[in-house]
Amino acid sequence: MTTSFAAAAVAKDPAIPIFPSTFTGLNSASTYLLLSKRPHRFLSSAAASHHSFIRAVSTPVKPDAPVEQKRSKVEIIKEHSDFIRYPLNEELLTDAPNINESAIQLIKFHGSYQQYNRDERGARSYSFMLRTKNPCGKVSNQLYLAMDDLADQFGIGTLRLTTRQTFQLHGVLKKDLKTVMSTIIKSMGSTLGACGDLNRNVLAPAAPIYKKDYLFAQKTAEDIAALLTPQSGFYYDMWVDGEKVMSAEPPEVVKARNDNSHGTNFTDSPEPIYGTQFLPRKFKIAVTIPGDNSVDLFTNDIGVVVVSDADGEPHGFNIYVGGGMGRTHRMENTFPRLAEPLGYVPKEDILYAVKAIVVTQRENGRRDDRKYSRMKYLISSWGIEKFRAVVEGYYGKKFKPCHELPEWEFESYLGWHEQGDGRLFCGLHVDSGRIKGIMKKTLREVIEKYNLNVRITPNQNIILCDIRQAWKHPITTVLAQGGLLQPRYVDPLNVTAIACPAMPLCPLAITEAERGIPDLLKRVRTVFEKVGLKYSETVVIRVTGCPNGCARPYMAELGLVGDGPNSYQFWLGGTPNQTTLATVFKEKVKIHDLEKVVEPLFYHWKRKRLSKESFGEFTNRMGKEKMLELVDKWEGMPQGPLRYNLKLFADKETYEKVDALAKLQGKSAHQLAMEIIRNFVASNQNG
């Protein structure tokens, strides 16, 4: 098998400087861009005549100097894998409960990670996490019921909704993998490409709203997902003995994939876009409409925004590139980054433009050091103008300037809404996306009884779709009894909070996230009450157990990123509409010291903010040095007369009794009283 890489350069510049235009400190002396064995249309004449490497080095090299290609271990595994088959196919047949390192890398492309329970001591108990691929978060009734069954029969009895609108199924044993995978496939689902060095699940607004722009955004997301789906059949060979269970692709997708008029494709390859090596790293895409930032648009490698005319008819797209969250502690040349404008394309060109961007990353993204392999580092190194020029070569056209758009807003789609076709949808909050216990049983009952399709949101919530008006009352009652409350009964802090799974199954976790966030949010709520913030006020809080950023903490108003056992970096400065990148505020903060940091911050936000100024906007206006000063000089709440919440407590005696009970549970009097009231209302709710 041959290895086929390509290197692209602007024609007038055969040497690609790696020194970044937007950051400093990236040492590139050992970085090489891999050269294809086939001729490449973007090589300069000088480079082509010498057949020399296009090098990302700062010192000149003789054209005829022998150079050894530097590649990461994963690149070599991919090269020898027979398009992501070997040695995974052999490892799955052994009696061992786990697979070897090469197979671990390959099974990611099939949508699975090997894990073990880190809470257990002694011999490791291996299992596998499976992640589905659901463009737009769409889940059919058949697939939901199948996933619910699989969780009980082969998993740990829970389903997890992810920040990329997919399911995660934990705890599957190696011996059950084929049964589980084939069941998902035959239930019209897929895990292909949910992990690995290729395009991941494509996001789009989850709401089933029957408007032209929403429907067009969702169709575009599905078309992009189809365009970038692997074609070599390794997935179906492995799990359903080569039987392809898939729907027919739109002709425009097939045409765009096969088009090679600008040198994008590997000819005579079973993977025309990916080749043997696929992409240097994961690749993430989101599609949305103007104003709706439910997808965290700017955290993606590619962000696509529908542009419509005055009559609401879509005519094209704004494209943004270079977003990404992952970073590495103590390595300042790794960083989170927001996508920036690339340009506008007419609607008929979107698949060709996306393909050109993907190929630019395929040809030029670093393959020697995976810490720097995401497209954000290529764009930071080249600058957007050079990146645009190379993409335009593969696209065959010039990008037009992006259209002006309205302000962005975060949309949760919780509660009851009109779909626009005479039916309703109901968005339900799920803490950290974990469906379990009575909630799981209740959702199953409702979805099965009413034959509902569902959608998963990028905020780890679930939407029940296609509900008749007559069903609203009985569904609301059953959901409330199962703990699935309408948004007015959910703490506003919980509504926007996100956490990754972290411990005990994620091998990358440094500390807790999902298991720790319930207590963290209660403590923040207590601080809110202490400093006088209203119950309706909130901040966006996101927690991850490591710096990889799966819960997108670098966009949060208050982001906690695990940096040690029970220890976190604190990031401040994201905004509620997810358009501003947070910055690191403090490091190595032990979780038991949470109040020492957030109490002075929230106290001064309450008293010094401008009208309607969010917490993130406030911290950005004040600046890091001033905020650190407020924390360092904090000596506790200023003494004042004891205050009671008269909305809940009519007299001091009642307050003191409730407060005493609340302290036994580690809560405030206000928290306990609100829980009692919510539970009472929920249990007696009649629609």
Side-chain angles (χ1 to χ4, degrees):
M1 187 180 307
T2 60
T3 306
S4 185
F5 300 106
V10 176
K12 65 181 180 181
D13 182 13
I16 301 176
I18 196 164
F19 299 111
S21 60
T22 57
F23 72 103
T24 58
L26 182 56
N27 182 356
S28 59
S30 63
T31 304
Y32 308 118
L33 296 178
L34 301 173
L35 183 66
S36 176
K37 292 184 178 180
R38 55 184 167 82
H40 198 284
R41 67 188 304 274
F42 290 112
L43 292 178
S44 69
S45 58
S49 65
H50 292 292
H51 300 285
S52 60
F53 283 106
I54 300 212
R55 293 164 155 271
V57 295
S58 56
T59 54
V61 177
K62 294 179 181 179
D64 56 352
V67 178
E68 181 181 352
Q69 296 183 20
K70 187 174 181 181
R71 294 186 291 163
S72 70
K73 183 189 299 184
V74 176
E75 289 299 314
I76 297 170
I77 291 171
K78 287 187 288 187
E79 177 186 355
H80 295 99
S81 70
D82 186 20
F83 292 97
I84 319 299
R85 292 176 174 87
Y86 175 81
L88 176 60
N89 51 0
E90 294 184 354
E91 285 291 300
L92 291 173
L93 298 177
T94 70
D95 293 331
N98 60 315
I99 56 179
N100 66 22
E101 179 58 33
S102 294
I104 287 172
Q105 297 302 325
L106 298 181
I107 202 170
K108 295 177 183 179
F109 291 75
H110 296 257
S112 181
Y113 285 90
Q114 180 172 283
Q115 302 179 330
Y116 66 93
N117 191 330
R118 296 170 62 187
D119 282 347
E120 297 177 358
R121 296 294 175 259
R124 292 182 177 180
S125 55
Y126 289 100
S127 65
F128 291 79
M129 179 273 284
L130 274 61
R131 182 185 296 151
T132 60
K133 205 167 184 183
N134 310 89
C136 318
K138 290 184 178 181
V139 181
S140 69
N141 178 269
Q142 178 187 2
L143 179 59
Y144 184 90
L145 298 179
M147 295 300 297
D148 185 76
D149 287 336
L150 291 171
D152 292 337
Q153 295 171 19
F154 301 102
I156 59 174
T158 72
L159 284 172
R160 197 171 197 282
L161 313 177
T162 78
T163 57
R164 292 206 71 79
Q165 297 183 274
T166 67
F167 287 116
Q168 283 184 177
L169 182 63
H170 292 91
V172 178
L173 299 181
K174 177 182 157 184
K175 66 182 180 64
D176 297 324
L177 275 173
K178 188 165 185 176
T179 299
V180 175
M181 288 283 204
S182 62
T183 301
I184 292 172
I185 294 169
K186 292 174 182 178
S187 300
M188 304 311 294
S190 176
T191 64
L192 172 59
C195 323
D197 298 342
L198 71 176
N199 180 54
R200 303 289 186 87
N201 197 52
V202 181
L203 305 188
I209 297 175
Y210 281 74
K211 292 182 180 178
K212 288 181 180 179
D213 51 358
Y214 275 98
L215 294 174
F216 192 60
Q218 291 161 3
K219 182 185 184 305
T220 301
E222 292 172 321
D223 286 349
I224 291 172
L227 172 75
L228 299 175
T229 295
Q231 299 297 300
S232 54
F234 63 83
Y235 179 69
Y236 299 99
D237 288 349
M238 199 76 68
W239 308 112
V240 287
D241 302 321
E243 178 189 356
K244 287 195 175 183
V245 183
M246 54 197 303
S247 56
E249 293 181 317
E252 60 269 26
V253 171
V254 177
K255 181 181 178 182
R257 183 190 298 121
N258 293 336
D259 179 76
N260 196 29
S261 55
H262 301 289
T264 54
N265 288 19
F266 292 95
T267 56
D268 301 320
S269 170
E271 291 291 351
I273 295 178
Y274 290 127
T276 61
Q277 302 304 122
F278 288 77
L279 299 181
R281 282 287 264 120
K282 68 179 77 170
F283 201 88
K284 298 181 177 181
I285 301 174
V287 184
T288 191
I289 69 165
D292 184 338
N293 201 18
S294 59
V295 298
D296 255 356
L297 182 80
F298 300 101
T299 65
N300 290 270
D301 292 273
I302 303 178
V304 178
V305 184
V306 176
V307 178
S308 302
D309 60 24
D311 296 324
E313 191 67 38
H315 59 73
F317 300 90
N318 282 358
I319 299 178
Y320 303 81
V321 292
M325 292 285 96
R327 48 178 287 275
T328 303
H329 284 316
R330 295 177 295 281
M331 297 191 71
E332 297 306 313
N333 48 11
T334 66
F335 44 81
R337 189 181 192 275
L338 296 186
E340 58 185 303
L342 179 69
Y344 168 88
V345 298
K347 63 182 182 181
E348 61 271 14
D349 284 358
I350 186 59
L351 297 180
Y352 299 89
V354 167
K355 182 180 175 182
I357 297 166
V358 170
V359 170
T360 299
Q361 163 65 356
R362 181 195 75 196
E363 298 293 287
N364 300 287
R366 288 180 60 170
R367 294 182 183 265
D368 63 324
D369 189 336
R370 290 174 67 81
K371 290 191 298 294
Y372 306 110
S373 292
R374 290 290 298 275
M375 194 172 76
K376 64 182 177 180
Y377 295 113
L378 178 64
I379 296 175
S380 291
S381 171
W382 279 4
I384 191 64
E385 296 300 328
K386 186 171 188 175
F387 182 83
R388 183 184 292 114
V390 175
V391 173
E392 286 173 341
Y394 288 118
Y395 173 38
K397 300 179 182 180
K398 293 285 186 181
F399 288 101
K400 295 180 180 179
C402 284
H403 288 230
E404 289 292 324
L405 299 177
E407 288 295 315
W408 293 100
E409 294 182 10
F410 167 73
E411 301 284 355
S412 72
Y413 297 112
L414 297 180
W416 288 94
H417 303 270
E418 297 278 350
Q419 289 186 173
D421 64 346
R423 296 203 175 194
L424 306 172
F425 71 87
C426 181
L428 299 168
H429 173 75
V430 181
D431 283 334
S432 297
R434 183 71 67 177
I435 298 176
K436 59 183 180 179
I438 185 65
M439 176 195 297
K440 182 172 177 292
K441 181 180 178 182
T442 301
L443 277 174
R444 168 73 184 232
E445 177 185 339
V446 171
I447 292 168
E448 188 169 31
K449 179 178 180 180
Y450 295 97
N451 194 32
L452 303 179
N453 298 316
V454 306
R455 306 274 181 98
I456 302 170
T457 81
N459 232 49
Q460 302 176 313
N461 297 320
I462 192 166
I463 294 175
L464 307 183
C465 307
D466 308 317
I467 302 171
R468 295 179 184 176
Q469 295 281 350
W471 298 345
K472 179 179 178 180
H473 173 78
I475 286 177
T476 301
T477 302
V478 173
L479 291 174
Q481 291 170 349
L484 289 154
L485 306 179
Q486 292 304 297
R488 64 183 179 275
Y489 301 122
V490 179
D491 190 318
L493 289 172
N494 292 61
V495 168
T496 56
I498 301 179
C500 71
M503 304 290 281
L505 293 177
C506 179
L508 302 177
I510 302 170
T511 190
E512 300 286 355
E514 179 185 341
R515 295 195 301 192
I517 198 171
D519 181 64
L520 183 150
L521 294 174
K522 290 177 182 176
R523 291 166 65 184
V524 170
R525 174 57 64 195
T526 299
V527 173
F528 264 39
E529 293 166 0
K530 186 175 181 180
V531 303
L533 288 164
K534 296 178 181 178
Y535 180 78
S536 59
E537 297 183 280
T538 188
V539 298
V540 177
I541 299 175
R542 296 177 174 178
V543 185
T544 58
C546 80
N548 287 325
C550 294
R552 303 190 288 269
Y554 310 114
M555 303 299 290
E557 294 182 277
L558 172 61
L560 275 67
V561 179
D563 63 1
N566 299 311
S567 174
Y568 298 86
Q569 285 183 333
F570 278 44
W571 289 66
L572 300 179
T575 47
N577 66 355
Q578 307 302 298
T579 58
T580 306
L581 196 65
T583 56
V584 66
F585 177 63
K586 289 182 76 72
E587 301 190 50
K588 296 292 182 182
V589 178
K590 290 296 183 182
I591 193 62
H592 60 254
D593 290 328
L594 172 74
E595 287 81 0
K596 293 180 182 179
V597 177
V598 301
E599 187 176 291
L601 298 179
F602 293 148
Y603 176 85
H604 289 285
W605 174 46
K606 168 73 167 66
R607 285 153 183 80
K608 298 180 180 179
R609 60 187 167 180
L610 304 178
S611 176
K612 297 182 179 180
E613 187 175 42
S614 70
F615 178 67
E617 293 166 337
F618 169 75
T619 58
N620 288 331
R621 179 171 61 84
M622 297 293 286
K624 178 178 178 179
E625 296 305 316
K626 179 62 177 178
M627 301 304 289
L628 285 171
E629 179 184 341
L630 295 176
V631 172
D632 292 341
K633 293 184 176 181
W634 183 251
E635 296 181 353
M637 289 282 294
Q639 293 298 315
L642 195 60
R643 298 174 63 189
Y644 305 101
N645 191 329
L646 298 181
K647 292 182 180 179
L648 284 176
F649 303 105
D651 59 88
K652 180 178 178 181
E653 182 180 1
T654 302
Y655 169 82
E656 290 176 341
K657 288 180 179 178
V658 175
D659 188 51
L661 290 171
K663 286 178 179 177
L664 295 175
Q665 301 181 38
K667 303 172 183 175
S668 69
H670 185 274
Q671 279 180 307
L672 180 59
M674 287 302 297
E675 283 185 18
I676 293 169
I677 292 169
R678 284 192 212 104
N679 290 337
F680 175 81
V681 171
S683 63
N684 290 275
Q685 192 173 31
N686 290 316

